[in-house]
Amino acid sequence: MGVANSAEQPAPCTTEATGEYSIASMKEKLNSPDDGACGFRHQVTCLGDGTCTLDTDKTDCRYEDGKVILEYFVNLTPGVWTPAERDPLIAIKGKIQFWSCSNDYNKRRRRGVDYPDYDFEQSNDNSSIATDDSESVHHLAATTVGVATVVAITALLSFLVVRLRKRRSEDVSTP
């Protein structure tokens, strides 16, 4: 989502942003189950038809390279096994709105900070990125095997050094 940034105002979803465009307020908007205009539930197919639930702990927003990046994660009910089954369910139907919301998300508003100069527009990239959590499991398993191997080799070398010293001391003490 491209954002035309004003030099005077901090960008949405940054640590400098305040009021309704702060990270906390943006997450609240995006995860809202009852806002009439804003949030993922209006545009993510499976949230609309009830075949998934929004994982609000993983939902995130950030500002990178002049774009507001909105990430959502869902838990499909029932689960699906293939990307061909998953992709239509998690598809975005339109713009994920986070401006002009029906609820008030302006918790800590400073005077004069209205973000009037931002132009929010939808990019053509509505693709979803599926993360493969099994990759992190492979890294964990490889790390565990590596650490176990180092510990085993260290223990074996220690045992051999102690035994060698004991044998030398026996050789020296025998007449």
Side-chain angles (χ1 to χ4, degrees), residues 45 72 76 80 82-92 128-130:
T45 305
Y72 68 98
L76 296 170
V80 296
T82 65
E85 293 175 295
R86 180 200 60 209
D87 290 346
L89 294 172
I90 63 171
I92 297 173
S128 60
I129 299 172

Side-chain angles (χ1 to χ4, degrees), residues 34-103:
D34 60 355
D35 193 296
C38 293
F40 290 118
R41 71 182 183 94
H42 297 289
Q43 299 302 330
V44 178
T45 305
C46 66
L47 291 172
D49 64 17
T51 57
C52 69
T53 57
L54 187 63
D55 189 342
T56 57
D57 294 333
K58 291 183 180 178
T59 299
D60 194 23
C61 78
R62 65 185 181 278
Y63 186 79
E64 289 181 0
D65 301 323
K67 295 181 181 180
V68 176
I69 310 294
L70 305 175
E71 290 183 313
Y72 68 98
F73 294 85
V74 296
N75 298 314
L76 296 170
T77 51
V80 296
W81 294 99
T82 65
E85 293 175 295
R86 180 200 60 209
D87 290 346
L89 294 172
I90 63 171
I92 297 173
K93 298 183 281 191
K95 292 182 181 182
I96 305 292
Q97 186 171 331
F98 58 88
W99 61 94
S100 303
C101 299
S102 62
N103 293 350

Side-chain angles (χ1 to χ4, degrees), residues 101-120:
C101 299
S102 62
N103 293 350
D104 182 25
Y105 300 97
N106 231 353
K107 304 261 190 273
R108 298 180 310 165
R109 185 172 184 164
R110 283 197 254 160
R111 290 184 190 179
V113 181
D114 291 334
Y115 291 86
D117 299 331
Y118 281 99
D119 178 27
F120 299 109

